[in-house]
Amino acid sequence: MLIDGHGRKVDYLRVSVTERCNFRCQYCMPEKPFSWVPKENLLSYEELFKFVKVAIDEGIRKVRITGGEPLLREGLDNFIRMISEYKDDIDLALTTNAYLLPRAAQKLADAGLKRINVSLDSLKPEVAHKIAQKDVLKTVLEGIQAADDAGLKIKINCVPMQGINDSELCDLIEYCKERAYPIRFIEFMENEHAHSGAKGYNSIQIQNILKAKYNFEKLERTDSSPSQNYKMDDGYVFGIIEPHKDDFCATCNRIRLTASGVLIPCLYFEDSQSIKDAIQRNDIDEAAAILKDVLANKPEKNKWADEEGSEVSARAFYETGG
Ligand code: SAM
Ligand code: SF4
């Protein structure tokens, strides 16, 4: 079992397989970064898998593949197969913008993937275009349908942004309700890479928007999911991810691995350690020791806060994978 320096059990690994993306979302990567990590500096899937095995053997029970846009990296289905065949009781999931899902969904399901989270911020073509800076909505919706047809369980993520998609939160709930997909609204996390004018909403503000149409009650937290869930009168449950709340980090159970082999203990801070050399030397003991050291030094709390002028992280979401 993996326990961090603040006594939290860590059993969730997020693996970013690429920082590249085919969208330029305003809250994440509005402009192409100055440079990408050169492909030769990335860990191969075999090397990433070697570390995933170390992590699973040490106590990781949930693995999420993310990015950038993970479907841009060729051979993702093989990577998924490696993990699902190593231990079939690992909760294996993928986060994607769905643009490449129309072609990929069935292959991913055949490789052993069970669950995907899809970012869907708008149901209006022009708004989706404005957020991703590309005409994406039709293909994204086809991708979600393809994933559903392939039997994947689907969750929707949405980042409410001031003056952009805030009038659509109820429509997104209706879209998800009709299809029995859970939706989670994510508070915009201020970071240096987002569009300079980007402004999100905190949980209270999101709830106030939804209260215009729905009655709902807060549910007790029963697990270490980052989502605070709310139940509507008709039983539909939606979630809000509330990183600006004071107690958000108290149940943090996760750690992140980038495509270039860097282990990141917290989404907010710059601290990290590389497992690349250890993995490439096949030094499994050293990789496990680095993992434990990173956990021993995992920060207690992020610095996003509810009041006006919340701190701004220097970390790029497209690198850490969210
Ligand atoms: N490209 C994939 C996608 O968009 O789903 C996976 C990577 S993306 C970085 C992972 C998640 O991070 C997405 O749900 C996205 O909405 C979220 N995200 C990115 N930047 C964010 C920000 N500044 N605040 C809150 N969530 C953010
Ligand atoms: Fe790409 Fe996902 Fe970031 Fe949007 S949120 S730019 S889809 S990595």
PDB file of all heavy atoms in Angstrom, residues 14-44:
ATOM      1  N   ARG A  14      -2.236   8.641 -12.853  1.00  0.00           N
ATOM      2  CA  ARG A  14      -2.642   9.198 -14.148  1.00  0.00           C
ATOM      3  C   ARG A  14      -1.411   9.220 -15.045  1.00  0.00           C
ATOM      4  O   ARG A  14      -0.367   9.729 -14.637  1.00  0.00           O
ATOM      5  CB  ARG A  14      -3.191  10.619 -13.983  1.00  0.00           C
ATOM      6  CG  ARG A  14      -4.470  10.677 -13.179  1.00  0.00           C
ATOM      7  CD  ARG A  14      -4.924  12.095 -12.979  1.00  0.00           C
ATOM      8  NE  ARG A  14      -5.404  12.724 -14.183  1.00  0.00           N
ATOM      9  CZ  ARG A  14      -6.681  12.891 -14.500  1.00  0.00           C
ATOM     10  NH1 ARG A  14      -7.619  12.464 -13.688  1.00  0.00           N
ATOM     11  NH2 ARG A  14      -7.032  13.481 -15.632  1.00  0.00           N
ATOM     12  N   VAL A  15      -1.532   8.639 -16.224  1.00  0.00           N
ATOM     13  CA  VAL A  15      -0.385   8.556 -17.128  1.00  0.00           C
ATOM     14  C   VAL A  15      -0.675   9.397 -18.368  1.00  0.00           C
ATOM     15  O   VAL A  15      -1.610   9.099 -19.125  1.00  0.00           O
ATOM     16  CB  VAL A  15      -0.130   7.095 -17.570  1.00  0.00           C
ATOM     17  CG1 VAL A  15       1.098   7.030 -18.475  1.00  0.00           C
ATOM     18  CG2 VAL A  15       0.035   6.182 -16.371  1.00  0.00           C
ATOM     19  N   SER A  16       0.122  10.442 -18.571  1.00  0.00           N
ATOM     20  CA  SER A  16      -0.030  11.250 -19.782  1.00  0.00           C
ATOM     21  C   SER A  16       0.876  10.656 -20.856  1.00  0.00           C
ATOM     22  O   SER A  16       2.086  10.569 -20.665  1.00  0.00           O
ATOM     23  CB  SER A  16       0.367  12.693 -19.484  1.00  0.00           C
ATOM     24  OG  SER A  16       0.454  13.410 -20.701  1.00  0.00           O
ATOM     25  N   VAL A  17       0.297  10.253 -21.997  1.00  0.00           N
ATOM     26  CA  VAL A  17       1.110   9.597 -23.030  1.00  0.00           C
ATOM     27  C   VAL A  17       1.640  10.582 -24.075  1.00  0.00           C
ATOM     28  O   VAL A  17       2.493  10.234 -24.882  1.00  0.00           O
ATOM     29  CB  VAL A  17       0.353   8.434 -23.715  1.00  0.00           C
ATOM     30  CG1 VAL A  17       0.069   7.328 -22.709  1.00  0.00           C
ATOM     31  CG2 VAL A  17      -0.930   8.908 -24.391  1.00  0.00           C
ATOM     32  N   THR A  18       1.117  11.796 -24.064  1.00  0.00           N
ATOM     33  CA  THR A  18       1.635  12.844 -24.956  1.00  0.00           C
ATOM     34  C   THR A  18       1.170  14.197 -24.427  1.00  0.00           C
ATOM     35  O   THR A  18       0.112  14.296 -23.812  1.00  0.00           O
ATOM     36  CB  THR A  18       1.137  12.686 -26.407  1.00  0.00           C
ATOM     37  OG1 THR A  18       1.657  13.755 -27.202  1.00  0.00           O
ATOM     38  CG2 THR A  18      -0.387  12.714 -26.511  1.00  0.00           C
ATOM     39  N   GLU A  19       1.956  15.239 -24.698  1.00  0.00           N
ATOM     40  CA  GLU A  19       1.485  16.583 -24.336  1.00  0.00           C
ATOM     41  C   GLU A  19       0.849  17.258 -25.553  1.00  0.00           C
ATOM     42  O   GLU A  19       0.245  18.320 -25.445  1.00  0.00           O
ATOM     43  CB  GLU A  19       2.653  17.428 -23.818  1.00  0.00           C
ATOM     44  CG  GLU A  19       3.748  17.548 -24.827  1.00  0.00           C
ATOM     45  CD  GLU A  19       4.895  18.448 -24.419  1.00  0.00           C
ATOM     46  OE1 GLU A  19       4.840  19.083 -23.368  1.00  0.00           O
ATOM     47  OE2 GLU A  19       5.856  18.509 -25.209  1.00  0.00           O
ATOM     48  N   ARG A  20       0.994  16.619 -26.725  1.00  0.00           N
ATOM     49  CA  ARG A  20       0.462  17.235 -27.954  1.00  0.00           C
ATOM     50  C   ARG A  20      -1.050  17.156 -27.991  1.00  0.00           C
ATOM     51  O   ARG A  20      -1.644  16.243 -27.399  1.00  0.00           O
ATOM     52  CB  ARG A  20       1.042  16.523 -29.186  1.00  0.00           C
ATOM     53  CG  ARG A  20       2.532  16.722 -29.263  1.00  0.00           C
ATOM     54  CD  ARG A  20       3.163  15.911 -30.371  1.00  0.00           C
ATOM     55  NE  ARG A  20       4.595  15.907 -30.150  1.00  0.00           N
ATOM     56  CZ  ARG A  20       5.504  16.315 -31.035  1.00  0.00           C
ATOM     57  NH1 ARG A  20       5.143  16.720 -32.228  1.00  0.00           N
ATOM     58  NH2 ARG A  20       6.785  16.300 -30.735  1.00  0.00           N
ATOM     59  N   CYS A  21      -1.660  18.071 -28.712  1.00  0.00           N
ATOM     60  CA  CYS A  21      -3.118  18.040 -28.790  1.00  0.00           C
ATOM     61  C   CYS A  21      -3.588  18.598 -30.118  1.00  0.00           C
ATOM     62  O   CYS A  21      -2.946  19.456 -30.720  1.00  0.00           O
ATOM     63  CB  CYS A  21      -3.727  18.830 -27.638  1.00  0.00           C
ATOM     64  SG  CYS A  21      -5.506  18.535 -27.530  1.00  0.00           S
ATOM     65  N   ASN A  22      -4.751  18.093 -30.558  1.00  0.00           N
ATOM     66  CA  ASN A  22      -5.366  18.579 -31.793  1.00  0.00           C
ATOM     67  C   ASN A  22      -6.374  19.706 -31.515  1.00  0.00           C
ATOM     68  O   ASN A  22      -6.997  20.203 -32.440  1.00  0.00           O
ATOM     69  CB  ASN A  22      -6.022  17.423 -32.557  1.00  0.00           C
ATOM     70  CG  ASN A  22      -6.792  16.478 -31.640  1.00  0.00           C
ATOM     71  OD1 ASN A  22      -6.879  16.694 -30.437  1.00  0.00           O
ATOM     72  ND2 ASN A  22      -7.362  15.431 -32.197  1.00  0.00           N
ATOM     73  N   PHE A  23      -6.603  20.068 -30.248  1.00  0.00           N
ATOM     74  CA  PHE A  23      -7.441  21.209 -29.881  1.00  0.00           C
ATOM     75  C   PHE A  23      -6.533  22.287 -29.263  1.00  0.00           C
ATOM     76  O   PHE A  23      -5.408  21.996 -28.861  1.00  0.00           O
ATOM     77  CB  PHE A  23      -8.485  20.828 -28.823  1.00  0.00           C
ATOM     78  CG  PHE A  23      -9.608  19.943 -29.309  1.00  0.00           C
ATOM     79  CD1 PHE A  23      -9.557  19.272 -30.515  1.00  0.00           C
ATOM     80  CD2 PHE A  23     -10.744  19.777 -28.517  1.00  0.00           C
ATOM     81  CE1 PHE A  23     -10.599  18.449 -30.933  1.00  0.00           C
ATOM     82  CE2 PHE A  23     -11.791  18.958 -28.930  1.00  0.00           C
ATOM     83  CZ  PHE A  23     -11.721  18.295 -30.137  1.00  0.00           C
ATOM     84  N   ARG A  24      -7.078  23.474 -29.135  1.00  0.00           N
ATOM     85  CA  ARG A  24      -6.347  24.560 -28.451  1.00  0.00           C
ATOM     86  C   ARG A  24      -7.303  25.199 -27.440  1.00  0.00           C
ATOM     87  O   ARG A  24      -7.628  26.386 -27.538  1.00  0.00           O
ATOM     88  CB  ARG A  24      -5.876  25.617 -29.470  1.00  0.00           C
ATOM     89  CG  ARG A  24      -4.783  25.125 -30.416  1.00  0.00           C
ATOM     90  CD  ARG A  24      -3.429  24.970 -29.720  1.00  0.00           C
ATOM     91  NE  ARG A  24      -2.436  24.370 -30.608  1.00  0.00           N
ATOM     92  CZ  ARG A  24      -2.186  23.068 -30.691  1.00  0.00           C
ATOM     93  NH1 ARG A  24      -2.838  22.212 -29.931  1.00  0.00           N
ATOM     94  NH2 ARG A  24      -1.276  22.619 -31.529  1.00  0.00           N
ATOM     95  N   CYS A  25      -7.775  24.403 -26.471  1.00  0.00           N
ATOM     96  CA  CYS A  25      -8.797  24.893 -25.536  1.00  0.00           C
ATOM     97  C   CYS A  25      -8.293  26.122 -24.778  1.00  0.00           C
ATOM     98  O   CYS A  25      -7.156  26.149 -24.302  1.00  0.00           O
ATOM     99  CB  CYS A  25      -9.190  23.804 -24.556  1.00  0.00           C
ATOM    100  SG  CYS A  25      -9.911  22.379 -25.383  1.00  0.00           S
ATOM    101  N   GLN A  26      -9.185  27.079 -24.643  1.00  0.00           N
ATOM    102  CA  GLN A  26      -8.794  28.366 -24.046  1.00  0.00           C
ATOM    103  C   GLN A  26      -8.293  28.225 -22.614  1.00  0.00           C
ATOM    104  O   GLN A  26      -7.459  28.987 -22.170  1.00  0.00           O
ATOM    105  CB  GLN A  26     -10.001  29.298 -24.048  1.00  0.00           C
ATOM    106  CG  GLN A  26     -10.474  29.591 -25.437  1.00  0.00           C
ATOM    107  CD  GLN A  26     -11.159  30.930 -25.515  1.00  0.00           C
ATOM    108  OE1 GLN A  26     -10.982  31.776 -24.656  1.00  0.00           O
ATOM    109  NE2 GLN A  26     -11.953  31.119 -26.550  1.00  0.00           N
ATOM    110  N   TYR A  27      -8.830  27.236 -21.872  1.00  0.00           N
ATOM    111  CA  TYR A  27      -8.442  27.093 -20.471  1.00  0.00           C
ATOM    112  C   TYR A  27      -7.203  26.218 -20.297  1.00  0.00           C
ATOM    113  O   TYR A  27      -6.729  26.010 -19.189  1.00  0.00           O
ATOM    114  CB  TYR A  27      -9.610  26.523 -19.641  1.00  0.00           C
ATOM    115  CG  TYR A  27     -10.284  25.309 -20.254  1.00  0.00           C
ATOM    116  CD1 TYR A  27      -9.663  24.075 -20.276  1.00  0.00           C
ATOM    117  CD2 TYR A  27     -11.555  25.417 -20.814  1.00  0.00           C
ATOM    118  CE1 TYR A  27     -10.262  22.976 -20.840  1.00  0.00           C
ATOM    119  CE2 TYR A  27     -12.172  24.309 -21.379  1.00  0.00           C
ATOM    120  CZ  TYR A  27     -11.536  23.096 -21.392  1.00  0.00           C
ATOM    121  OH  TYR A  27     -12.130  22.008 -21.960  1.00  0.00           O
ATOM    122  N   CYS A  28      -6.691  25.657 -21.398  1.00  0.00           N
ATOM    123  CA  CYS A  28      -5.603  24.672 -21.284  1.00  0.00           C
ATOM    124  C   CYS A  28      -4.396  25.041 -22.144  1.00  0.00           C
ATOM    125  O   CYS A  28      -3.313  25.298 -21.644  1.00  0.00           O
ATOM    126  CB  CYS A  28      -6.153  23.303 -21.684  1.00  0.00           C
ATOM    127  SG  CYS A  28      -4.954  21.977 -21.656  1.00  0.00           S
ATOM    128  N   MET A  29      -4.581  25.060 -23.457  1.00  0.00           N
ATOM    129  CA  MET A  29      -3.471  25.259 -24.398  1.00  0.00           C
ATOM    130  C   MET A  29      -3.952  26.147 -25.543  1.00  0.00           C
ATOM    131  O   MET A  29      -4.112  25.679 -26.668  1.00  0.00           O
ATOM    132  CB  MET A  29      -3.052  23.882 -24.951  1.00  0.00           C
ATOM    133  CG  MET A  29      -1.770  23.869 -25.708  1.00  0.00           C
ATOM    134  SD  MET A  29      -1.550  22.434 -26.809  1.00  0.00           S
ATOM    135  CE  MET A  29      -1.841  21.015 -25.815  1.00  0.00           C
ATOM    136  N   PRO A  30      -4.229  27.426 -25.256  1.00  0.00           N
ATOM    137  CA  PRO A  30      -4.810  28.278 -26.304  1.00  0.00           C
ATOM    138  C   PRO A  30      -3.880  28.494 -27.491  1.00  0.00           C
ATOM    139  O   PRO A  30      -4.338  28.769 -28.589  1.00  0.00           O
ATOM    140  CB  PRO A  30      -5.100  29.596 -25.578  1.00  0.00           C
ATOM    141  CG  PRO A  30      -4.312  29.555 -24.329  1.00  0.00           C
ATOM    142  CD  PRO A  30      -4.107  28.127 -23.967  1.00  0.00           C
ATOM    143  N   GLU A  31      -2.574  28.386 -27.239  1.00  0.00           N
ATOM    144  CA  GLU A  31      -1.619  28.515 -28.341  1.00  0.00           C
ATOM    145  C   GLU A  31      -0.719  27.305 -28.328  1.00  0.00           C
ATOM    146  O   GLU A  31      -0.453  26.748 -27.265  1.00  0.00           O
ATOM    147  CB  GLU A  31      -0.744  29.753 -28.141  1.00  0.00           C
ATOM    148  CG  GLU A  31      -1.449  31.020 -28.545  1.00  0.00           C
ATOM    149  CD  GLU A  31      -0.840  32.231 -27.883  1.00  0.00           C
ATOM    150  OE1 GLU A  31       0.382  32.203 -27.640  1.00  0.00           O
ATOM    151  OE2 GLU A  31      -1.607  33.164 -27.600  1.00  0.00           O
ATOM    152  N   LYS A  32      -0.215  26.961 -29.490  1.00  0.00           N
ATOM    153  CA  LYS A  32       0.738  25.851 -29.530  1.00  0.00           C
ATOM    154  C   LYS A  32       1.934  26.268 -28.671  1.00  0.00           C
ATOM    155  O   LYS A  32       2.456  27.376 -28.827  1.00  0.00           O
ATOM    156  CB  LYS A  32       1.181  25.606 -30.968  1.00  0.00           C
ATOM    157  CG  LYS A  32       2.147  24.462 -31.113  1.00  0.00           C
ATOM    158  CD  LYS A  32       2.592  24.322 -32.561  1.00  0.00           C
ATOM    159  CE  LYS A  32       3.739  23.344 -32.677  1.00  0.00           C
ATOM    160  NZ  LYS A  32       4.937  23.759 -31.949  1.00  0.00           N
ATOM    161  N   PRO A  33       2.361  25.382 -27.752  1.00  0.00           N
ATOM    162  CA  PRO A  33       3.510  25.747 -26.917  1.00  0.00           C
ATOM    163  C   PRO A  33       4.749  26.034 -27.772  1.00  0.00           C
ATOM    164  O   PRO A  33       4.856  25.547 -28.894  1.00  0.00           O
ATOM    165  CB  PRO A  33       3.723  24.512 -26.051  1.00  0.00           C
ATOM    166  CG  PRO A  33       2.440  23.794 -26.084  1.00  0.00           C
ATOM    167  CD  PRO A  33       1.807  24.083 -27.400  1.00  0.00           C
ATOM    168  N   PHE A  34       5.661  26.826 -27.205  1.00  0.00           N
ATOM    169  CA  PHE A  34       6.876  27.228 -27.903  1.00  0.00           C
ATOM    170  C   PHE A  34       7.598  26.013 -28.496  1.00  0.00           C
ATOM    171  O   PHE A  34       8.082  26.037 -29.609  1.00  0.00           O
ATOM    172  CB  PHE A  34       7.771  27.992 -26.926  1.00  0.00           C
ATOM    173  CG  PHE A  34       9.019  28.504 -27.544  1.00  0.00           C
ATOM    174  CD1 PHE A  34       8.951  29.463 -28.552  1.00  0.00           C
ATOM    175  CD2 PHE A  34      10.258  28.048 -27.128  1.00  0.00           C
ATOM    176  CE1 PHE A  34      10.109  29.944 -29.150  1.00  0.00           C
ATOM    177  CE2 PHE A  34      11.415  28.526 -27.717  1.00  0.00           C
ATOM    178  CZ  PHE A  34      11.341  29.476 -28.729  1.00  0.00           C
ATOM    179  N   SER A  35       7.658  24.932 -27.723  1.00  0.00           N
ATOM    180  CA  SER A  35       8.251  23.705 -28.278  1.00  0.00           C
ATOM    181  C   SER A  35       7.619  22.494 -27.605  1.00  0.00           C
ATOM    182  O   SER A  35       7.164  22.587 -26.459  1.00  0.00           O
ATOM    183  CB  SER A  35       9.753  23.685 -28.028  1.00  0.00           C
ATOM    184  OG  SER A  35       9.988  23.611 -26.644  1.00  0.00           O
ATOM    185  N   TRP A  36       7.566  21.388 -28.324  1.00  0.00           N
ATOM    186  CA  TRP A  36       7.123  20.125 -27.743  1.00  0.00           C
ATOM    187  C   TRP A  36       8.353  19.361 -27.250  1.00  0.00           C
ATOM    188  O   TRP A  36       9.450  19.545 -27.762  1.00  0.00           O
ATOM    189  CB  TRP A  36       6.442  19.241 -28.788  1.00  0.00           C
ATOM    190  CG  TRP A  36       5.239  19.792 -29.475  1.00  0.00           C
ATOM    191  CD1 TRP A  36       5.125  20.091 -30.808  1.00  0.00           C
ATOM    192  CD2 TRP A  36       3.956  20.084 -28.902  1.00  0.00           C
ATOM    193  NE1 TRP A  36       3.868  20.555 -31.089  1.00  0.00           N
ATOM    194  CE2 TRP A  36       3.127  20.557 -29.941  1.00  0.00           C
ATOM    195  CE3 TRP A  36       3.420  19.993 -27.620  1.00  0.00           C
ATOM    196  CZ2 TRP A  36       1.807  20.933 -29.738  1.00  0.00           C
ATOM    197  CZ3 TRP A  36       2.108  20.363 -27.421  1.00  0.00           C
ATOM    198  CH2 TRP A  36       1.315  20.828 -28.460  1.00  0.00           C
ATOM    199  N   VAL A  37       8.137  18.462 -26.294  1.00  0.00           N
ATOM    200  CA  VAL A  37       9.227  17.548 -25.923  1.00  0.00           C
ATOM    201  C   VAL A  37       9.526  16.702 -27.168  1.00  0.00           C
ATOM    202  O   VAL A  37       8.604  16.133 -27.761  1.00  0.00           O
ATOM    203  CB  VAL A  37       8.769  16.623 -24.767  1.00  0.00           C
ATOM    204  CG1 VAL A  37       9.852  15.598 -24.443  1.00  0.00           C
ATOM    205  CG2 VAL A  37       8.414  17.438 -23.534  1.00  0.00           C
ATOM    206  N   PRO A  38      10.801  16.646 -27.628  1.00  0.00           N
ATOM    207  CA  PRO A  38      11.095  15.848 -28.824  1.00  0.00           C
ATOM    208  C   PRO A  38      10.679  14.384 -28.620  1.00  0.00           C
ATOM    209  O   PRO A  38      10.808  13.860 -27.509  1.00  0.00           O
ATOM    210  CB  PRO A  38      12.614  15.945 -28.964  1.00  0.00           C
ATOM    211  CG  PRO A  38      13.043  17.046 -28.061  1.00  0.00           C
ATOM    212  CD  PRO A  38      11.992  17.232 -27.022  1.00  0.00           C
ATOM    213  N   LYS A  39      10.181  13.765 -29.702  1.00  0.00           N
ATOM    214  CA  LYS A  39       9.630  12.408 -29.567  1.00  0.00           C
ATOM    215  C   LYS A  39      10.650  11.431 -28.964  1.00  0.00           C
ATOM    216  O   LYS A  39      10.292  10.535 -28.211  1.00  0.00           O
ATOM    217  CB  LYS A  39       9.153  11.903 -30.928  1.00  0.00           C
ATOM    218  CG  LYS A  39       7.846  12.582 -31.339  1.00  0.00           C
ATOM    219  CD  LYS A  39       7.045  11.771 -32.347  1.00  0.00           C
ATOM    220  CE  LYS A  39       5.686  12.412 -32.531  1.00  0.00           C
ATOM    221  NZ  LYS A  39       5.327  12.745 -33.887  1.00  0.00           N
ATOM    222  N   GLU A  40      11.955  11.654 -29.314  1.00  0.00           N
ATOM    223  CA  GLU A  40      12.962  10.699 -28.816  1.00  0.00           C
ATOM    224  C   GLU A  40      13.164  10.810 -27.300  1.00  0.00           C
ATOM    225  O   GLU A  40      13.748   9.925 -26.682  1.00  0.00           O
ATOM    226  CB  GLU A  40      14.291  10.835 -29.575  1.00  0.00           C
ATOM    227  CG  GLU A  40      14.966  12.191 -29.530  1.00  0.00           C
ATOM    228  CD  GLU A  40      14.460  13.167 -30.606  1.00  0.00           C
ATOM    229  OE1 GLU A  40      13.379  12.932 -31.176  1.00  0.00           O
ATOM    230  OE2 GLU A  40      15.149  14.176 -30.841  1.00  0.00           O
ATOM    231  N   ASN A  41      12.655  11.894 -26.700  1.00  0.00           N
ATOM    232  CA  ASN A  41      12.781  12.028 -25.234  1.00  0.00           C
ATOM    233  C   ASN A  41      11.613  11.401 -24.481  1.00  0.00           C
ATOM    234  O   ASN A  41      11.597  11.390 -23.246  1.00  0.00           O
ATOM    235  CB  ASN A  41      12.874  13.502 -24.832  1.00  0.00           C
ATOM    236  CG  ASN A  41      14.193  14.111 -25.255  1.00  0.00           C
ATOM    237  OD1 ASN A  41      15.003  13.440 -25.896  1.00  0.00           O
ATOM    238  ND2 ASN A  41      14.417  15.364 -24.926  1.00  0.00           N
ATOM    239  N   LEU A  42      10.607  10.923 -25.215  1.00  0.00           N
ATOM    240  CA  LEU A  42       9.462  10.306 -24.539  1.00  0.00           C
ATOM    241  C   LEU A  42       9.788   8.875 -24.162  1.00  0.00           C
ATOM    242  O   LEU A  42      10.592   8.213 -24.828  1.00  0.00           O
ATOM    243  CB  LEU A  42       8.243  10.281 -25.480  1.00  0.00           C
ATOM    244  CG  LEU A  42       7.757  11.629 -26.003  1.00  0.00           C
ATOM    245  CD1 LEU A  42       6.517  11.425 -26.872  1.00  0.00           C
ATOM    246  CD2 LEU A  42       7.465  12.587 -24.849  1.00  0.00           C
ATOM    247  N   LEU A  43       9.160   8.384 -23.105  1.00  0.00           N
ATOM    248  CA  LEU A  43       9.265   6.955 -22.817  1.00  0.00           C
ATOM    249  C   LEU A  43       8.405   6.209 -23.829  1.00  0.00           C
ATOM    250  O   LEU A  43       7.321   6.670 -24.203  1.00  0.00           O
ATOM    251  CB  LEU A  43       8.759   6.655 -21.405  1.00  0.00           C
ATOM    252  CG  LEU A  43       9.579   7.180 -20.220  1.00  0.00           C
ATOM    253  CD1 LEU A  43       9.086   6.565 -18.920  1.00  0.00           C
ATOM    254  CD2 LEU A  43      11.052   6.898 -20.386  1.00  0.00           C
ATOM    255  N   SER A  44       8.902   5.055 -24.282  1.00  0.00           N
ATOM    256  CA  SER A  44       8.089   4.212 -25.166  1.00  0.00           C
ATOM    257  C   SER A  44       6.929   3.634 -24.345  1.00  0.00           C
ATOM    258  O   SER A  44       6.962   3.660 -23.101  1.00  0.00           O
ATOM    259  CB  SER A  44       8.938   3.076 -25.733  1.00  0.00           C
ATOM    260  OG  SER A  44       9.315   2.215 -24.660  1.00  0.00           O
TER     261      SER A  44
END
